[in-house]
Amino acid sequence: MSRFLNEKFCRLEAYTPGEQPQDKKYIKLNTNESPFPPSKGVLEAVNQDAVSQLNLYPDPECKELRETIAKHYGVLAKNVFVGNGSDDILSFAFMAFCGKNSNAAFPDISYGFYRVYAELHGVPYVEIPLKSDFSVNAEDYIGINKNVFIANPNAPTGLTLSLEQISKICESNKDNIVLIDEAYVDFGAESSVNLTKKYDNLITVMTYSKSRSMAGARLGFAIASEAIIEDLNKIKYSTNPYSINRLTNLAGIAAIKDNDYYADNCKKIVEVREYTKSELEKLGFDFTDSKSNFIFAKNGKIDGETLYKKLKDKGILVRHFSKERIKDFVRITVGTKEQMDKLLDAVREIL
């Protein structure tokens, strides 16, 4: 680091994104991207005419995009906020609602950005341990009187909370926000969107990166009360009002309109997920009951880091985490059946 860096950031541990190596072609099962391309409608929307207008600023309000999302989820446009990926929204939420007198709480094993954003924005926080089976204990958040951030399904475990449990958390923390990060909700979990009509402290956050095949476009959205959306907009307009570019805006509208295509892809991914789990079980693997587009698995015959490295040597990338409780696991993104069969063949050879 340079001698000019603000001292408050000197000890900040930045988030480590999944590998994007360029040295050779890999089967990428490490960053939970969709194995399917964007829909035909998305490809048609990002056309030459759209590109020819890149000399003009995009609509900062993303009016049509918000209206399209709102109609699909049964809410009003004033209840929708769009951001440059859901990560942008998470950062804004820490900025807008947390502070020295308004602390944050989130699981100790979850999306790594929660801790990073808390430290980046100087927010005191507590990391609440998962249960022995890696599930989130909803009771730990009842009446905690802190701003709650929970991924549902959680990452990297893929386990979920019920809507009843989420309701109890919201009900018991009325003076704090409850943010439910639903990046993987379309692969088998229940969305909390409808609960935002009942609880004015609930924020449901989703992304186009996983189920809508647009990780490279960087688009996410939040659904919440009108007042919360106004708060998020205040932060957005104080940083970068043009955070959604013209092409991403058009692609986002088209993707919602092509929802059947993406819903069918999600169904295929769930089928391949269950197939892969059954084959891994035959090889002696244990795993959580993931409701996401990844599998969180371990095998007593080989530690997680060694398996990750040996798979990488064979041209297959999975994700390994060094935290003590989960270091024996690898997180495997669910790809196409062909990709998963190649993974299974490689694992058989390694074992």
Side-chain angles (χ1 to χ4, degrees):
M1 72 183 73
S2 78
R3 59 192 174 89
F4 307 106
L5 182 65
N6 190 315
E7 63 178 19
K8 69 181 180 180
F9 298 132
C10 289
R11 293 198 170 109
L12 180 66
E13 291 186 29
Y15 175 74
T16 303
E19 292 176 276
Q20 304 285 350
Q22 307 297 320
D23 57 325
K24 65 179 181 180
K25 188 174 182 180
Y26 289 89
I27 295 177
K28 285 188 81 275
L29 305 177
N30 65 323
T31 50
N32 301 337
E33 297 147 315
S34 172
F36 301 107
S39 66
K40 182 179 178 181
V42 168
L43 299 179
E44 291 174 349
V46 187
N47 54 32
Q48 186 173 351
D49 182 56
V51 173
S52 70
Q53 298 183 59
L54 288 180
N55 58 306
L56 303 175
Y57 283 110
D59 173 17
E61 295 183 4
C62 301
K63 186 174 184 292
E64 186 179 355
L65 174 58
R66 290 189 300 107
E67 289 174 346
T68 303
I69 292 171
K71 182 178 179 181
H72 180 73
Y73 286 97
V75 297
L76 300 176
K78 65 184 180 181
N79 300 119
V80 178
F81 175 86
V82 292
N84 189 261
S86 59
D87 291 336
D88 226 19
I89 301 170
L90 295 175
S91 180
F92 288 176
F94 273 92
M95 291 173 67
F97 308 114
C98 301
K100 291 182 179 179
N101 298 317
S102 186
N103 299 358
F106 40 84
D108 66 331
I109 297 173
S110 190
Y111 188 30
F113 249 135
Y114 303 152
R115 177 182 53 79
V116 172
Y117 283 143
E119 295 184 353
L120 177 66
H121 299 304
V123 175
Y125 65 92
V126 293
E127 292 182 295
I128 299 177
L130 297 180
K131 294 165 66 176
S132 60
D133 63 357
F134 294 117
S135 64
V136 173
N137 184 6
E139 296 298 319
D140 289 337
Y141 298 87
I142 301 298
I144 196 171
N145 296 318
K146 300 180 190 298
N147 296 303
V148 174
F149 296 81
I150 294 177
N152 195 49
N154 194 20
T157 65
L159 298 177
T160 63
L161 289 176
S162 68
L163 295 186
E164 181 181 2
Q165 290 171 312
I166 293 171
S167 294
K168 289 180 179 178
I169 295 172
C170 293
E171 187 74 35
S172 67
N173 294 287
K174 290 183 177 180
D175 293 328
N176 297 92
I177 64 114
V178 176
L179 188 148
I180 303 299
D181 183 355
E182 296 187 347
Y184 304 101
V185 73
D186 293 325
F187 301 102
E190 288 185 282
S191 176
S192 61
V193 163
N194 285 333
L195 292 180
T196 62
K197 301 172 185 177
K198 182 177 181 181
Y199 299 106
D200 66 357
N201 60 332
L202 174 63
I203 309 173
T204 300
V205 178
M206 297 189 197
T207 178
Y208 278 71
S209 295
K210 317 301 180 184
S211 60
R212 291 194 171 94
S213 303
M214 282 174 51
R218 310 312 303 132
L219 183 60
F221 59 95
I223 295 176
S225 68
E226 182 180 3
I228 280 180
I229 299 303
E230 289 176 354
D231 295 339
L232 292 173
N233 274 318
K234 178 176 287 190
I235 302 298
K236 174 183 175 180
Y237 280 82
S238 300
T239 51
N240 180 11
Y242 300 111
S243 60
I244 310 301
N245 68 69
R246 280 182 170 272
L247 302 184
T248 293
N249 187 74
L250 292 170
I253 294 168
I256 294 291
K257 293 179 178 178
D258 284 348
N259 189 67
D260 288 348
Y261 167 79
Y262 295 105
D264 186 56
N265 286 345
C266 288
K267 183 179 178 181
K268 292 175 184 176
I269 288 170
V270 169
E271 290 172 352
V272 174
R273 179 188 72 202
E274 296 308 307
Y275 159 75
T276 306
K277 285 164 66 175
S278 68
E279 293 300 308
L280 287 174
E281 189 173 24
K282 295 173 185 176
L283 298 173
F285 278 84
D286 296 313
F287 35 77
T288 57
D289 184 21
S290 173
K291 301 299 181 185
S292 59
N293 68 335
F294 56 80
I295 299 166
F296 191 56
K298 71 171 183 177
N299 189 302
K301 297 179 181 178
I302 187 169
D303 66 87
E305 185 177 10
T306 301
L307 179 57
Y308 150 74
K309 289 180 177 178
K310 287 184 177 291
L311 284 171
K312 186 176 181 179
D313 289 341
K314 291 180 177 293
I316 300 173
L317 292 177
V318 297
R319 191 82 188 262
H320 175 256
F321 301 92
S322 59
K323 273 194 171 184
E324 185 64 28
R325 284 185 69 190
I326 57 174
K327 66 181 183 180
D328 290 332
F329 287 78
V330 290
R331 191 194 67 190
I332 306 167
T333 301
V334 178
T336 63
K337 186 173 184 298
E338 179 183 17
Q339 289 175 322
M340 304 315 284
D341 280 334
K342 289 181 179 179
L343 166 82
L344 291 166
D345 288 341
V347 169
R348 291 184 186 104
E349 290 178 10
I350 291 168
L351 292 179

